[in-house]
Amino acid sequence: PPSNPKILCLPIIVGGVAFASLKKNADGGGYALKFDQTALVFGMLANTFAAFKGSENKKLMSDAGTAARFGGVGNQFAVTQIIAFLMCLPVMFLTEGSKFGDFLDILKSSKDLQFNLVMSGLAFYLYNELATMTLKVTGPVTASVANTAKRVIVMVYMAAVTGKVLTDEQKIGAGVAIGGVLLYSLIDDLLKSKTDAKKKKA
């Protein structure tokens, strides 16, 4: 589990991401958060299950017998993804099953969709497999922190690539979030070095 100083860093990171998401009203008076409620609910569920998946994967990696039967982190992640896919199928058909036929029609006729679907799926799979591998040297909370910071880092990177001008809120929020992640990763070492220095003086 993370130390108390690391736990105190979490509100800084979350606050930075939230501030970067603020949008000014059209009249310039005040701020507002504009989002789709359905997207918010499913996003929260996805993050909850992602944290649970990370925690359970870490436990499996710690069990030498289970890890040996899987034959490696890559195989363990593949099994996890297959189970997740099967669990998501009923939810998909329940919420958007009526549109599945339209999706197949577009998929058959659009080469751009076919290419983007394969490449985005491959990139997302490889990214998550790498994230699972990092659990061996970190932990589920640290992985969740990195996942939260990823949103801000991607936003800054895309702004640099596309030339989009970031708002002041996005710049400040990104700076706070990235600084919070840096502090989260270093705070234990900083406090430990201070404690060791005090002990030497004593």
Side-chain angles (χ1 to χ4, degrees):
S3 61
N4 289 333
K6 283 192 171 184
I7 292 174
L8 293 175
C9 293
L10 297 180
I12 300 174
I13 301 168
V14 175
V17 174
F19 192 79
S21 303
L22 289 175
K23 292 181 176 64
K24 279 188 176 180
N25 292 326
D27 55 6
Y31 292 93
L33 279 172
K34 297 179 181 179
F35 55 85
D36 181 80
Q37 291 185 353
T38 304
L40 176 66
V41 171
F42 278 96
M44 290 173 63
L45 286 172
N47 283 330
T48 301
F49 280 108
F52 174 76
K53 180 182 72 174
S55 177
E56 293 304 306
N57 274 326
K58 181 68 173 180
K59 290 178 184 177
L60 290 175
M61 290 176 193
S62 302
D63 188 330
T66 304
R69 287 196 295 272
F70 271 118
V73 178
N75 291 340
Q76 178 181 326
F77 175 73
V79 172
T80 304
Q81 287 300 100
I82 293 170
I83 294 172
F85 172 73
L86 295 176
M87 290 179 64
C88 287
L89 280 179
V91 179
M92 185 273 288
F93 281 112
L94 182 65
T95 56
E96 296 183 339
S98 59
K99 300 178 181 178
F100 188 63
D102 297 334
F103 167 74
L104 290 178
D105 292 337
I106 299 173
L107 181 62
K108 292 175 184 177
S109 59
S110 175
K111 290 185 178 180
D112 288 339
L113 179 59
Q114 294 169 4
F115 177 80
N116 291 334
L117 192 65
V118 171
M119 294 307 297
S120 64
L122 183 61
F124 191 71
Y125 183 93
L126 292 174
Y127 152 72
N128 277 284
E129 184 172 2
L130 178 62
T132 303
M133 290 179 177
T134 62
L135 283 172
K136 293 187 70 174
V137 293
T138 59
V141 175
T142 301
S144 295
V145 168
N147 194 46
T148 301
K150 173 197 70 178
R151 290 161 173 77
V152 175
I153 295 171
V154 168
M155 178 184 71
V156 174
Y157 174 77
M158 289 306 298
V161 171
T162 61
K164 178 185 175 183
V165 179
L166 295 176
T167 64
D168 292 337
E169 292 77 22
Q170 289 174 329
K171 292 176 184 176
I172 295 172
V176 171
I178 294 172
V181 172
L182 179 63
L183 182 62
Y184 178 92
S185 63
L186 297 177
I187 191 165
D188 281 348
D189 292 333
L190 292 174
L191 293 177
K192 183 180 178 181
S193 61
K194 287 185 177 180
T195 303
D196 291 343
K198 288 181 180 178
K199 287 181 179 179
K200 288 180 179 179
K201 289 181 179 179

